[in-house]
Every structure is written in C-alpha cells, then in structure tokens.
Amino acid sequence: QPRCRRSWPTAMAMPSKDTLEARNPVLHDKIDAMVGSGVVVVFIKGTKLFPQCGFSQTVVSILNSLQLPYEAFDVLEDDQLRGGIKEYSSWPTIPQVYVSGDFIGGCDIMIEMFNSGELQEMIEA
C-alpha cells in the first residue's frame, strides 16, 4: 500500500483506497500494478510528449530535467482510472506522483521538493 508523504486536510478527505478496493477490486489491482511499474510513476492529463494541462506540464518538465526514466499514465484516456486514482491516493487532483510505490503529491509539492533538492535526494536514494 502506498504511503502518502503529505496528507490532504481531513475535512476535505476523499474516500480511502480501501473503499476503492472493496468496491472495484479489479481497478484497485490495475492501479496497484501501474504504481509498481517503475521507480517514478506519474498520473497526468495527457502524455509525456503532450501534457494537456499546465500542472501536468510542470510535473513532466521537472521529471525530464532530472533525466531519469519514469512511467506516465494518461488519465484522460480512461475515466475509471481518472476517478479511481483520486480515491486510491485520497488526493483530489491530477497530476499525482509516486516514488518507489509511495504517493508523493501533486504539482505544488513537486515544485517545492524540486526547488529544495528533496526530490532529487528521494529519487537517488
């Protein structure tokens, strides 16, 4: 199970991934496999080559600048995945970034971690 590096405020929390697992185990297992498919995995709107929103573009730019391989999944191609990943992580927005199976966060957290050097340290560890 992924651990969330930063948690969403309780008052705005989304349903837990356990709810997704109970309600749609096939989707839960699919997302588990996607999250485990690489050291760095991102769920974005669009593709690595053509992100479809500014936040996804920012995350892709950060990861590309690190020159490390990463897996990217386009949530716009699959409505079930788009909703399911939000429940899986209990995080309400896209993009979402996972490192070594752990949920890191979205665009703002990636910017903060990149600027501080924390992201590079985490990926290199």
Side-chain angles (χ1 to χ4, degrees), residues 27-70:
L27 179 59
H28 182 272
D29 291 348
K30 176 182 174 180
I31 294 172
D32 258 351
M34 293 169 134
V35 167
S37 67
V39 173
V40 179
V41 177
V42 296
F43 294 86
I44 59 175
K45 294 177 181 175
T47 66
K48 289 181 189 183
L49 296 177
F50 193 57
Q52 296 293 304
C53 81
F55 299 114
S56 293
Q57 173 63 52
T58 299
V59 167
V60 166
S61 294
I62 287 171
L63 293 173
N64 287 343
S65 75
L66 296 175
Q67 299 182 350
L68 295 170
Y70 64 95

Short mmCIF file of all heavy atoms in Angstrom, two decimals, residues 27-70:
data_model
loop_
_atom_site.label_atom_id
_atom_site.label_comp_id
_atom_site.label_asym_id
_atom_site.label_seq_id
_atom_site.Cartn_x
_atom_site.Cartn_y
_atom_site.Cartn_z
N LEU A 27 -10.10 -2.57 -10.60
CA LEU A 27 -9.49 -1.26 -10.81
C LEU A 27 -8.39 -1.02 -9.79
O LEU A 27 -7.31 -0.53 -10.12
CB LEU A 27 -10.54 -0.15 -10.74
CG LEU A 27 -10.01 1.29 -10.92
CD1 LEU A 27 -9.30 1.45 -12.26
CD2 LEU A 27 -11.16 2.29 -10.78
N HIS A 28 -8.64 -1.37 -8.54
CA HIS A 28 -7.62 -1.21 -7.49
C HIS A 28 -6.36 -1.98 -7.86
O HIS A 28 -5.25 -1.44 -7.76
CB HIS A 28 -8.18 -1.68 -6.14
CG HIS A 28 -7.21 -1.50 -5.02
ND1 HIS A 28 -6.29 -2.45 -4.68
CD2 HIS A 28 -7.00 -0.45 -4.18
CE1 HIS A 28 -5.56 -2.02 -3.67
NE2 HIS A 28 -5.97 -0.81 -3.35
N ASP A 29 -6.51 -3.22 -8.31
CA ASP A 29 -5.35 -4.03 -8.67
C ASP A 29 -4.64 -3.45 -9.89
O ASP A 29 -3.41 -3.49 -9.98
CB ASP A 29 -5.76 -5.48 -8.93
CG ASP A 29 -6.19 -6.20 -7.66
OD1 ASP A 29 -5.97 -5.66 -6.55
OD2 ASP A 29 -6.76 -7.30 -7.77
N LYS A 30 -5.40 -2.91 -10.84
CA LYS A 30 -4.82 -2.27 -12.02
C LYS A 30 -3.96 -1.07 -11.60
O LYS A 30 -2.83 -0.92 -12.07
CB LYS A 30 -5.93 -1.82 -12.97
CG LYS A 30 -5.44 -1.06 -14.18
CD LYS A 30 -6.63 -0.61 -15.05
CE LYS A 30 -6.19 0.28 -16.19
NZ LYS A 30 -7.33 0.71 -17.02
N ILE A 31 -4.48 -0.24 -10.71
CA ILE A 31 -3.74 0.92 -10.24
C ILE A 31 -2.52 0.48 -9.44
O ILE A 31 -1.43 1.05 -9.60
CB ILE A 31 -4.65 1.89 -9.45
CG1 ILE A 31 -5.70 2.49 -10.38
CG2 ILE A 31 -3.82 2.98 -8.77
CD1 ILE A 31 -6.78 3.30 -9.68
N ASP A 32 -2.67 -0.54 -8.60
CA ASP A 32 -1.52 -1.08 -7.86
C ASP A 32 -0.39 -1.46 -8.83
O ASP A 32 0.77 -1.16 -8.59
CB ASP A 32 -1.93 -2.33 -7.08
CG ASP A 32 -2.14 -2.09 -5.61
OD1 ASP A 32 -1.83 -1.00 -5.10
OD2 ASP A 32 -2.64 -3.03 -4.94
N ALA A 33 -0.76 -2.15 -9.91
CA ALA A 33 0.24 -2.58 -10.89
C ALA A 33 0.88 -1.37 -11.57
O ALA A 33 2.09 -1.36 -11.81
CB ALA A 33 -0.40 -3.50 -11.92
N MET A 34 0.09 -0.37 -11.88
CA MET A 34 0.63 0.85 -12.51
C MET A 34 1.60 1.55 -11.57
O MET A 34 2.69 1.95 -11.99
CB MET A 34 -0.51 1.80 -12.91
CG MET A 34 -1.40 1.27 -14.00
SD MET A 34 -2.87 2.32 -14.15
CE MET A 34 -2.92 2.52 -15.93
N VAL A 35 1.21 1.72 -10.32
CA VAL A 35 2.06 2.39 -9.33
C VAL A 35 3.37 1.63 -9.16
O VAL A 35 4.43 2.23 -8.98
CB VAL A 35 1.31 2.54 -7.98
CG1 VAL A 35 2.25 2.93 -6.86
CG2 VAL A 35 0.18 3.56 -8.12
N GLY A 36 3.32 0.31 -9.26
CA GLY A 36 4.52 -0.50 -9.09
C GLY A 36 5.32 -0.71 -10.36
O GLY A 36 6.32 -1.44 -10.36
N SER A 37 4.94 -0.07 -11.45
CA SER A 37 5.58 -0.33 -12.75
C SER A 37 6.91 0.39 -12.95
O SER A 37 7.59 0.16 -13.95
CB SER A 37 4.62 0.02 -13.89
OG SER A 37 4.39 1.42 -13.94
N GLY A 38 7.30 1.24 -12.03
CA GLY A 38 8.57 1.94 -12.15
C GLY A 38 8.93 2.62 -10.85
O GLY A 38 8.12 2.70 -9.94
N VAL A 39 10.16 3.12 -10.77
CA VAL A 39 10.59 3.83 -9.57
C VAL A 39 9.79 5.12 -9.43
O VAL A 39 9.31 5.45 -8.36
CB VAL A 39 12.10 4.11 -9.60
CG1 VAL A 39 12.52 4.99 -8.43
CG2 VAL A 39 12.88 2.81 -9.58
N VAL A 40 9.64 5.84 -10.54
CA VAL A 40 8.85 7.07 -10.56
C VAL A 40 7.68 6.86 -11.51
O VAL A 40 7.87 6.49 -12.66
CB VAL A 40 9.69 8.29 -11.00
CG1 VAL A 40 8.83 9.55 -11.03
CG2 VAL A 40 10.90 8.47 -10.11
N VAL A 41 6.48 7.07 -10.99
CA VAL A 41 5.25 6.88 -11.78
C VAL A 41 4.39 8.12 -11.59
O VAL A 41 4.20 8.59 -10.48
CB VAL A 41 4.48 5.62 -11.31
CG1 VAL A 41 3.18 5.47 -12.06
CG2 VAL A 41 5.35 4.38 -11.46
N VAL A 42 3.88 8.64 -12.72
CA VAL A 42 3.01 9.81 -12.66
C VAL A 42 1.70 9.52 -13.39
O VAL A 42 1.67 8.82 -14.39
CB VAL A 42 3.68 11.07 -13.26
CG1 VAL A 42 4.89 11.46 -12.46
CG2 VAL A 42 4.04 10.89 -14.71
N PHE A 43 0.65 10.07 -12.84
CA PHE A 43 -0.67 10.04 -13.47
C PHE A 43 -0.94 11.48 -13.87
O PHE A 43 -1.01 12.37 -13.01
CB PHE A 43 -1.72 9.52 -12.50
CG PHE A 43 -1.50 8.06 -12.16
CD1 PHE A 43 -0.65 7.70 -11.14
CD2 PHE A 43 -2.14 7.07 -12.89
CE1 PHE A 43 -0.43 6.37 -10.83
CE2 PHE A 43 -1.93 5.73 -12.60
CZ PHE A 43 -1.07 5.38 -11.57
N ILE A 44 -1.04 11.71 -15.19
CA ILE A 44 -1.15 13.06 -15.72
C ILE A 44 -2.30 13.15 -16.71
O ILE A 44 -2.84 12.14 -17.15
CB ILE A 44 0.16 13.52 -16.40
CG1 ILE A 44 0.53 12.58 -17.56
CG2 ILE A 44 1.28 13.63 -15.39
CD1 ILE A 44 1.74 13.02 -18.36
N LYS A 45 -2.65 14.38 -17.04
CA LYS A 45 -3.58 14.64 -18.13
C LYS A 45 -2.74 14.81 -19.38
O LYS A 45 -1.99 15.78 -19.51
CB LYS A 45 -4.42 15.89 -17.86
CG LYS A 45 -5.35 15.72 -16.67
CD LYS A 45 -6.11 17.00 -16.40
CE LYS A 45 -7.02 16.83 -15.18
NZ LYS A 45 -7.68 18.09 -14.82
N GLY A 46 -2.84 13.84 -20.29
CA GLY A 46 -2.04 13.85 -21.49
C GLY A 46 -0.89 12.88 -21.39
O GLY A 46 -0.90 11.95 -20.58
N THR A 47 0.13 13.10 -22.21
CA THR A 47 1.28 12.21 -22.27
C THR A 47 2.55 12.98 -21.92
O THR A 47 2.54 14.21 -21.83
CB THR A 47 1.44 11.62 -23.68
OG1 THR A 47 1.75 12.69 -24.59
CG2 THR A 47 0.18 10.90 -24.14
N LYS A 48 3.65 12.25 -21.80
CA LYS A 48 4.95 12.90 -21.55
C LYS A 48 5.27 13.91 -22.65
O LYS A 48 5.80 14.97 -22.40
CB LYS A 48 6.08 11.86 -21.55
CG LYS A 48 6.13 10.93 -20.40
CD LYS A 48 7.35 10.03 -20.62
CE LYS A 48 7.42 8.90 -19.65
NZ LYS A 48 8.63 8.08 -19.83
N LEU A 49 4.95 13.53 -23.87
CA LEU A 49 5.27 14.39 -25.01
C LEU A 49 4.27 15.52 -25.22
O LEU A 49 4.60 16.53 -25.83
CB LEU A 49 5.36 13.55 -26.28
CG LEU A 49 6.47 12.52 -26.31
CD1 LEU A 49 6.41 11.70 -27.60
CD2 LEU A 49 7.84 13.18 -26.15
N PHE A 50 3.03 15.32 -24.72
CA PHE A 50 2.00 16.33 -24.95
C PHE A 50 1.06 16.42 -23.75
O PHE A 50 -0.08 15.98 -23.80
CB PHE A 50 1.22 16.00 -26.23
CG PHE A 50 0.37 17.12 -26.72
CD1 PHE A 50 0.90 18.36 -27.00
CD2 PHE A 50 -0.99 16.94 -26.90
CE1 PHE A 50 0.11 19.41 -27.46
CE2 PHE A 50 -1.81 17.97 -27.35
CZ PHE A 50 -1.25 19.20 -27.63
N PRO A 51 1.56 16.97 -22.63
CA PRO A 51 0.69 17.16 -21.46
C PRO A 51 -0.48 18.07 -21.82
O PRO A 51 -0.33 19.02 -22.58
CB PRO A 51 1.61 17.82 -20.43
CG PRO A 51 3.00 17.52 -20.90
CD PRO A 51 2.91 17.44 -22.39
N GLN A 52 -1.65 17.79 -21.26
CA GLN A 52 -2.87 18.50 -21.62
C GLN A 52 -3.29 19.55 -20.59
O GLN A 52 -4.38 20.10 -20.72
CB GLN A 52 -4.01 17.50 -21.83
CG GLN A 52 -3.77 16.57 -23.00
CD GLN A 52 -3.79 17.32 -24.31
OE1 GLN A 52 -4.76 17.99 -24.63
NE2 GLN A 52 -2.72 17.22 -25.07
N CYS A 53 -2.49 19.79 -19.56
CA CYS A 53 -2.78 20.88 -18.63
C CYS A 53 -1.47 21.42 -18.09
O CYS A 53 -0.44 20.75 -18.13
CB CYS A 53 -3.73 20.44 -17.51
SG CYS A 53 -2.96 19.57 -16.15
N GLY A 54 -1.51 22.62 -17.59
CA GLY A 54 -0.31 23.27 -17.08
C GLY A 54 0.33 22.55 -15.91
O GLY A 54 1.57 22.49 -15.81
N PHE A 55 -0.48 21.99 -15.03
CA PHE A 55 0.06 21.29 -13.87
C PHE A 55 0.79 20.02 -14.30
O PHE A 55 1.88 19.72 -13.82
CB PHE A 55 -1.04 20.95 -12.86
CG PHE A 55 -1.74 22.17 -12.33
CD1 PHE A 55 -3.08 22.40 -12.61
CD2 PHE A 55 -1.08 23.10 -11.55
CE1 PHE A 55 -3.73 23.51 -12.13
CE2 PHE A 55 -1.72 24.23 -11.06
CZ PHE A 55 -3.06 24.44 -11.36
N SER A 56 0.19 19.28 -15.24
CA SER A 56 0.85 18.09 -15.77
C SER A 56 2.13 18.47 -16.50
O SER A 56 3.16 17.79 -16.38
CB SER A 56 -0.09 17.31 -16.70
OG SER A 56 -1.17 16.76 -15.97
N GLN A 57 2.10 19.57 -17.25
CA GLN A 57 3.29 20.05 -17.96
C GLN A 57 4.41 20.37 -16.98
O GLN A 57 5.57 20.03 -17.22
CB GLN A 57 2.95 21.29 -18.77
CG GLN A 57 4.17 21.97 -19.41
CD GLN A 57 4.87 21.10 -20.42
OE1 GLN A 57 4.24 20.60 -21.33
NE2 GLN A 57 6.17 20.91 -20.26
N THR A 58 4.08 20.99 -15.87
CA THR A 58 5.09 21.32 -14.86
C THR A 58 5.73 20.07 -14.29
O THR A 58 6.96 19.99 -14.18
CB THR A 58 4.46 22.18 -13.75
OG1 THR A 58 3.97 23.39 -14.32
CG2 THR A 58 5.47 22.48 -12.64
N VAL A 59 4.92 19.07 -13.94
CA VAL A 59 5.46 17.82 -13.39
C VAL A 59 6.35 17.12 -14.41
O VAL A 59 7.45 16.67 -14.09
CB VAL A 59 4.32 16.91 -12.90
CG1 VAL A 59 4.82 15.50 -12.62
CG2 VAL A 59 3.68 17.49 -11.64
N VAL A 60 5.90 17.05 -15.65
CA VAL A 60 6.70 16.43 -16.71
C VAL A 60 8.02 17.18 -16.89
O VAL A 60 9.09 16.57 -17.01
CB VAL A 60 5.89 16.36 -18.02
CG1 VAL A 60 6.79 16.04 -19.22
CG2 VAL A 60 4.77 15.33 -17.91
N SER A 61 7.97 18.50 -16.87
CA SER A 61 9.20 19.30 -17.03
C SER A 61 10.18 19.04 -15.90
O SER A 61 11.39 18.92 -16.14
CB SER A 61 8.85 20.79 -17.08
OG SER A 61 8.12 21.09 -18.24
N ILE A 62 9.68 18.96 -14.68
CA ILE A 62 10.55 18.68 -13.52
C ILE A 62 11.20 17.31 -13.69
O ILE A 62 12.42 17.17 -13.55
CB ILE A 62 9.75 18.75 -12.20
CG1 ILE A 62 9.42 20.20 -11.87
CG2 ILE A 62 10.54 18.09 -11.06
CD1 ILE A 62 8.45 20.36 -10.71
N LEU A 63 10.41 16.30 -14.01
CA LEU A 63 10.95 14.95 -14.14
C LEU A 63 11.92 14.85 -15.32
O LEU A 63 12.96 14.20 -15.22
CB LEU A 63 9.83 13.93 -14.26
CG LEU A 63 8.99 13.78 -12.99
CD1 LEU A 63 7.79 12.88 -13.24
CD2 LEU A 63 9.83 13.25 -11.83
N ASN A 64 11.60 15.51 -16.43
CA ASN A 64 12.51 15.50 -17.57
C ASN A 64 13.83 16.17 -17.23
O ASN A 64 14.89 15.74 -17.68
CB ASN A 64 11.87 16.18 -18.78
CG ASN A 64 10.79 15.33 -19.42
OD1 ASN A 64 10.69 14.13 -19.20
ND2 ASN A 64 9.96 15.96 -20.23
N SER A 65 13.79 17.22 -16.42
CA SER A 65 15.02 17.92 -16.06
C SER A 65 15.95 17.04 -15.21
O SER A 65 17.15 17.24 -15.22
CB SER A 65 14.71 19.23 -15.32
OG SER A 65 14.29 18.98 -14.00
N LEU A 66 15.37 16.07 -14.51
CA LEU A 66 16.17 15.16 -13.69
C LEU A 66 16.82 14.06 -14.54
O LEU A 66 17.70 13.34 -14.06
CB LEU A 66 15.31 14.52 -12.59
CG LEU A 66 14.76 15.49 -11.55
CD1 LEU A 66 13.85 14.77 -10.59
CD2 LEU A 66 15.89 16.20 -10.82
N GLN A 67 16.37 13.92 -15.79
CA GLN A 67 16.91 12.94 -16.73
C GLN A 67 16.89 11.52 -16.20
O GLN A 67 17.83 10.75 -16.40
CB GLN A 67 18.31 13.34 -17.18
CG GLN A 67 18.35 14.68 -17.89
CD GLN A 67 19.72 15.07 -18.36
OE1 GLN A 67 20.72 14.45 -18.02
NE2 GLN A 67 19.78 16.12 -19.16
N LEU A 68 15.80 11.19 -15.51
CA LEU A 68 15.60 9.84 -15.02
C LEU A 68 14.38 9.24 -15.70
O LEU A 68 13.44 9.95 -16.02
CB LEU A 68 15.38 9.85 -13.50
CG LEU A 68 16.56 10.30 -12.65
CD1 LEU A 68 16.12 10.48 -11.22
CD2 LEU A 68 17.69 9.30 -12.75
N PRO A 69 14.39 7.93 -15.91
CA PRO A 69 13.21 7.32 -16.52
C PRO A 69 12.02 7.37 -15.56
O PRO A 69 12.18 7.29 -14.34
CB PRO A 69 13.64 5.88 -16.78
CG PRO A 69 14.78 5.63 -15.85
CD PRO A 69 15.43 6.96 -15.61
N TYR A 70 10.83 7.53 -16.14
CA TYR A 70 9.61 7.48 -15.35
C TYR A 70 8.48 6.99 -16.23
O TYR A 70 8.52 7.10 -17.44
CB TYR A 70 9.29 8.84 -14.73
CG TYR A 70 9.00 9.95 -15.71
CD1 TYR A 70 7.68 10.26 -16.07
CD2 TYR A 70 10.02 10.70 -16.27
CE1 TYR A 70 7.41 11.28 -16.97
CE2 TYR A 70 9.75 11.72 -17.17
CZ TYR A 70 8.45 12.01 -17.51
OH TYR A 70 8.18 13.02 -18.41
#
